Amino acid sequence: MSEVVYPPVIAASKLMFKVLDLKIRVEGAENVPREGGAVLASNHIGYLDFIFAGFGAHPAKRMVRFMAKQEVFKHRISGPLMRGMKHIPVDRDSGVQSFRDALTALKSGEVVGIFPEATISRSFTVKEVKSGATRLAMSAGVPLIPVGLWGTHRLWTKGRPRTLTRRHTPITILVGEPMEVSRKDDVNVATAELRRRMTALVEKAQREYPDEPKDDADRWWLPAYLGGTAPQPEIAPAS
């Protein structure tokens, strides 16, 4: 594939990281294959997650094609960028075509990124995950790679004001070991294992995070199980 849009976007993102002095920690980048197809399955806690999940694949020199709701592709600013980076639009009412497009990309050797929770988790814990990522990896015969993000929600997340100029924020990107799945496997069992691995990565990132809330009002970005004020998973809004 010829790349005209993606490399400048990556360069701009790196410049943003530098200007904001984001404290980015990437661990497990060696788990992303340097060639061939793979499905990258990340937790979803903020609107900029695709930037950071994709950054986790950058050491392997891979450009991730993310699956995203088609409304983003219709926006006058984000639309041309999304299409230029060859991301994959998803029609939530009819996902057959997007599944086929993602499968084609995987079979041609691309890395496809998916947020299998489908929406941002406002509890900042891993929600129930959809089986699409697992099914894609099974159908394409490619590894399924779990990713855990933490800290990205402090820049911009659902229900909170954007703080895109926030400086010195620690961001953690943990890339887990690949899961080898095939058509012979039980998709529900494999999906449950994916969620377990994603949860383990997120909880590791939370435990090792180098920052703490500065006061009680700042506890919003911690999950309830760590003493934060984010909603409990069972009562967190679904969208």
Side-chain angles (χ1 to χ4, degrees):
M1 282 188 177
S2 61
E3 300 293 346
V4 176
V5 178
Y6 219 145
V9 170
I10 291 174
S13 297
K14 286 185 172 181
L15 178 61
M16 178 188 77
F17 298 162
K18 185 174 182 180
V19 169
L20 296 180
D21 190 32
L22 300 183
K23 307 300 184 182
I24 299 178
R25 168 195 170 200
V26 179
E27 182 179 299
E30 68 278 2
N31 290 319
V32 179
R34 290 188 171 270
E35 59 182 23
V39 174
L40 220 61
S42 173
N43 69 309
H44 200 10
I45 53 175
Y47 290 111
L48 303 180
D49 288 345
F50 71 98
I51 294 176
F52 295 103
F55 190 71
H58 188 67
K61 303 187 183 303
R62 304 303 301 272
M63 287 177 281
V64 184
R65 316 298 174 177
F66 282 95
M67 301 185 74
K69 59 184 180 180
Q70 63 180 356
E71 288 80 3
V72 180
F73 291 79
K74 294 179 180 179
H75 191 275
R76 64 185 182 85
I77 296 175
S78 64
L81 288 173
M82 295 293 282
R83 289 189 291 273
M85 289 185 281
K86 302 180 177 67
H87 294 314
I88 302 167
V90 177
D91 182 348
R92 290 183 175 177
D93 294 326
S94 178
V96 175
Q97 187 57 52
S98 58
F99 187 93
R100 290 173 177 167
D101 292 343
L103 191 58
T104 297
L106 289 167
K107 289 184 175 180
S108 67
E110 297 286 348
V111 177
V112 171
I114 301 179
F115 298 105
E117 296 164 281
T119 59
I120 288 174
S121 170
R122 297 183 70 172
S123 68
F124 307 136
T125 58
V126 179
K127 299 164 58 174
E128 291 298 322
V129 303
K130 309 293 185 182
S131 64
T134 308
R135 293 180 186 277
L136 270 173
M138 287 179 170
S139 298
V142 300
L144 177 60
I145 304 173
V147 176
L149 301 177
W150 190 245
T152 64
H153 56 312
R154 299 179 70 192
L155 300 176
W156 188 15
T157 192
K158 188 181 291 290
R160 300 289 305 186
R162 280 177 287 187
T163 53
L164 300 181
T165 57
R166 178 186 177 89
R167 292 174 55 79
H168 317 304
T169 306
I171 302 291
T172 304
I173 306 164
L174 302 184
V175 184
E177 294 183 1
M179 291 175 56
E180 299 297 334
V181 294
S182 74
R183 293 175 183 270
K184 296 179 181 179
D185 296 323
D186 185 307
V187 67
N188 294 320
V189 171
T191 300
E193 175 62 14
L194 171 64
R195 181 174 185 263
R196 187 194 69 78
R197 294 192 187 197
M198 289 170 59
T199 298
L201 290 170
V202 172
E203 291 182 351
K204 180 178 189 291
Q206 291 169 342
R207 288 194 306 270
E208 299 174 354
Y209 195 64
D211 210 356
E212 296 180 357
K214 62 181 182 294
D215 53 36
D216 284 345
D218 193 39
R219 301 188 75 80
W220 67 267
W221 56 268
L222 281 181
Y225 90 95
L226 288 177
T229 56
Q232 292 279 4
E234 61 270 21
I235 62 173
S239 62

